[in-house]
Amino acid sequence: MYILKLIFKNAFRHKLRTWLTILGITIAILAFGLLRTVISAWYAGVEASSASRLVTRNSISIIFTLPLSYKERIRQIDGVKIVSWGNWFGGIYIDEKNFFANFAVDPKTYFELYPELIISPDQKAAFIRDRKGFVAGRKLAERFGWKLGDSVTLRGTIFAGQWDFVMRGIYRGRDKTVDETTFFFQWDYLNEKMKKSSPARADQIGFYMIGVTKPEIAADVAVNIDKTFKNSVAETLTETEKAFQLGWIAMSQAIVTAIQLVSFVVIIIIMAVMANTMAMTARERIGEYSIFKTLGFGGRYIAALIFGESLIISMIGCAFGIAFTFPAAKSFGNALSNFFPTFNVATETIYMDIAAALLVGTVAGIFPTLRSIRIRIADGLRRIG
Amino acid sequence: MPKNALVEPRSIVVIRNVSKSYRRGSQTIPVLENVSFDIAEGKFLALMGPSGSGKSTLLNLLAGIDSVDSGSIAVGGLDITTLSEMDLARWRAVNVGFIFQFYNLIPVLTAFGNVELPLLLTKLSKKQRREHVDLALSMVGLSDRIDHYPNQLSGGQQQRVAIARAVVTDPTILVADEPTGDLDRVSAAEILDLMGRLNKDLGKTIIMVTHDARAAAKAHLIKQLDKGVFIDVHS
Ligand SMILES: Nc1ncnc2c1ncn2[C@@H]1O[C@H](COP(=O)(O)OP(=O)(O)O)[C@@H](O)[C@H]1O
Ligand SMILES: [Mg+2]
């Protein structure tokens, strides 16, 4: 109790210096927390993906297509439960900055394969009935104020022309990790227009999504699918959805690595700042610590004083940093909802914040403590007066 | 517990052939050379001599905050030059009361907190500590300044707090390095009176470094140190 009081008093002796250091740590922890949240948002798709779903695409590249005829052949492979298919549409709504993901999918099988997308049976039926119908995620619909029955036009990029749609449903995610910003419309609509305008591109599929009977056989099924289409016009590459998502991330791996690096650099910088503060403090107090030693207090007591002070400062900064991370992540997430459908501060991020602050406080205390313990009392006392 | 004058006082401090030098770069500066002397229990000794003659060095050695190059120092029958750093710290906590020129109080602690400090290393309960601190502060006449911080006290008052801190554990010896060196004449006289009383009324053995003749006059005997050797003078 006594020593705790003393540590607190010591910590706030130079109020300005201490508060500036706390401010620095607050900002560092806030930045660290947000950067870690960006990384987890990046991986959110992977976390949400199911181990019992496979994605089959053209083995050359994702931009090459597969024939529609593969559908029946995939369906006959052992262990395959559902086959769904879709194309990345890449349409633009009014302006490019309104970016959101939009896909042409088969409505019947798609929602069956993705039970985490929750849509009312009425709306689902309405969507299936209307060739020009579309379904939007809750957040996407809120973003543009779309209501059921509204007409929306997308400008095609990969598939030229103006494409008119009518809103037939809104889906929401089963939990917070599910993206609610995607736009789905009927693959048949896309295909019919292609048949008329550019028949060569009709009956072509971007990727098949396959549900297997149980996760354990997913890898075997994937191998069998690819074997089936070996030496055919379009060879396939089948991966679990998780691997498929990770493939996307791998493409942006450099960015993720950079963000990860920056998050650690932030901590290292604040560690240097904090170590400097503690070194300054301990240098000024060398005389006082020598008095403690003179009176018979051992090195452990001096260590407790210095580490205690260092940790109190870093943990106060950490507490503020964490407190600010939540509102900051919220507004950050709102601003970047196009890029990060889910942007939530993970519990692990909070643990990492705390671990980082503990590390900063501890490291900053090491050298001043060693110095204060090692200095001969007579030399330390000489610094007074 | 004043000493019975009929009993020959025993030596509380026995210093034998102590040498100490400091290294400055490649140079070795001898400070004390083969110093030997005894201090009888209950004495008030003044160590005098020109600046740089090694007074503080000698005081630090016999108070156990610096180590000898050779020779031995026994205090209360125990050779402290053989103790490990940790044992020496424990020994100081029990046996030595320190009074410094610049008071050396902890600025964030009140008078009470400063005097209580050495008691934290004892097994005393909080209540017992309070009693001891109250007694020590009343002895130095500062009962009404218990909750004052060092910067709210005059130099003389701070030195009295330091004296209370030095005596609160009832140590074997009191060491004082220029205790009046930073004080005006009136305050200095008060401090010397106080030390005289501690010596006379409580029988405390005091070793005081000073170069103030008035301070030395309070002592029973004066030792003159010059270039690391004693020149005896009697008071
Ligand atoms: N830590 C040290 N390192 C080097 N020289 C020292 C150290 N401490 C004291 N000295 C030297 O030892 C001599 C005696 O110092 P000191 O005992 O403080 O003298 P006094 O107290 O009599 O003025 C001086 O020349 C001083 O410069
Ligand atoms: Mg001196």
Side-chain angles (χ1 to χ4, degrees), chain A residues 147-302:
Chain A
K147 307 259 171 330
L148 292 181
D150 280 3
S151 290
V152 169
T153 302
L154 298 188
R155 176 159 48 85
T157 53
I158 306 166
F159 304 93
Q162 296 294 321
W163 297 70
D164 298 322
F165 302 99
V166 180
M167 170 105 144
R168 290 301 175 202
I170 295 174
Y171 77 86
R172 60 187 171 78
R174 193 174 46 196
D175 56 61
K176 284 206 294 185
T177 64
V178 178
D179 161 40
E180 292 180 333
T181 66
T182 306
F183 181 109
F184 297 108
F185 65 93
Q186 288 211 21
W187 186 83
D188 286 347
Y189 178 39
L190 174 71
N191 203 41
E192 276 164 19
K193 268 184 94 161
M194 281 299 109
K195 273 182 179 154
K196 279 184 214 137
S197 62
S198 41
R201 294 179 67 190
D203 292 342
Q204 292 296 310
I205 280 167
F207 44 89
Y208 286 100
M209 295 154 279
I210 297 142
V212 295
T213 48
K214 49 184 193 280
E216 304 88 272
I217 60 164
D220 292 338
V221 174
V223 170
N224 284 337
I225 292 172
D226 291 345
K227 222 185 265 167
T228 306
F229 300 108
K230 192 111 188 120
N231 302 321
S232 36
V233 274
E235 294 196 348
T236 60
L237 175 65
T238 305
E239 300 166 301
T240 60
E241 191 176 84
K242 198 159 189 150
F244 181 71
Q245 297 272 16
L246 281 170
W248 275 108
I249 289 174
M251 285 163 58
S252 49
Q253 191 59 49
I255 299 171
V256 175
T257 308
I259 293 174
Q260 228 146 8
L261 214 64
V262 170
S263 75
F264 290 120
V265 166
V266 166
I267 294 302
I268 290 168
I269 290 172
I270 198 62
M271 202 183 269
V273 170
M274 179 81 202
N276 182 53
T277 303
M278 285 314 295
M280 231 150 74
T281 303
R283 201 176 313 125
E284 289 166 4
R285 307 240 181 94
I286 275 284
E288 264 170 59
Y289 296 140
S290 297
I291 296 167
F292 278 102
K293 289 203 279 184
T294 303
L295 296 178
F297 289 91
R300 259 189 294 157
Y301 198 88
I302 309 292

Side-chain angles (χ1 to χ4, degrees), chain A residues 2 6 9-10 13 288 291-297 301 376-378 381 384-385, chain B residues 60 65-66 89 92-93 98 100 102 104 106-109 113 116-117 120-121 149:
Chain A
Y2 191 93
L6 188 59
K9 282 181 167 179
N10 273 340
R13 252 154 107 167
E288 264 170 59
I291 296 167
F292 278 102
K293 289 203 279 184
T294 303
L295 296 178
F297 289 91
Y301 198 88
R376 292 168 56 250
I377 295 178
L381 289 174
I384 299 172
Chain B
N60 290 343
I65 55 175
D66 207 347
R92 281 196 304 272
F98 290 88
F100 303 95
F102 299 108
N104 288 7
I106 304 298
V108 288
L109 298 178
E116 190 185 16
L117 213 48
L120 296 177
L121 295 170
Y149 285 92

Side-chain angles (χ1 to χ4, degrees), chain B residues 46-47 59 96 106 108 146 152 165 192 202-203 214 228-229 232:
Chain B
L47 271 177
L59 195 74
V96 190
I106 304 298
V108 288
I146 265 188
Q152 299 169 326
R165 181 180 67 185
L192 289 168
L202 301 180
R214 253 188 307 265
V229 221
D232 268 330

Side-chain angles (χ1 to χ4, degrees), chain A residues 376 378-379 382, chain B residues 20-24 29-32 48-60 66 177-178 209 211 225:
Chain A
R376 292 168 56 250
D379 290 337
R382 217 179 291 275
Chain B
K20 173 79 181 172
S21 56
Y22 288 111
R23 252 167 297 281
R24 206 170 282 160
I29 304 157
V31 180
L32 299 173
M48 296 193 72
S51 183
S53 56
K55 306 181 296 293
S56 296
T57 302
L58 181 60
L59 195 74
N60 290 343
D66 207 347
D177 196 343
E178 313 260 15
V209 165
H211 51 235
L225 202 56

Side-chain angles (χ1 to χ4, degrees), chain B residues 78-153:
Chain B
L78 178 74
D79 184 358
I80 62 168
T81 60
T82 62
L83 296 179
S84 71
E85 195 143 328
M86 237 159 87
D87 289 336
L88 203 54
R90 269 185 223 121
W91 174 82
R92 281 196 304 272
V94 176
N95 292 288
V96 190
F98 290 88
I99 302 161
F100 303 95
Q101 177 175 1
F102 299 108
Y103 333 125
N104 288 7
L105 299 176
I106 304 298
V108 288
L109 298 178
T110 59
F112 185 91
N114 268 284
V115 178
E116 190 185 16
L117 213 48
L119 295 178
L120 296 177
L121 295 170
T122 65
K123 290 197 175 73
L124 296 180
S125 70
K126 199 174 164 144
K127 186 165 162 284
Q128 288 169 314
R129 290 205 302 264
R130 171 155 277 280
E131 286 166 9
H132 279 70
V133 174
D134 284 342
L135 183 69
L137 280 170
S138 75
M139 218 156 66
V140 299
L142 285 178
S143 295
D144 55 340
R145 294 285 193 277
I146 265 188
D147 293 324
H148 285 53
Y149 285 92
N151 64 6
Q152 299 169 326
L153 297 170

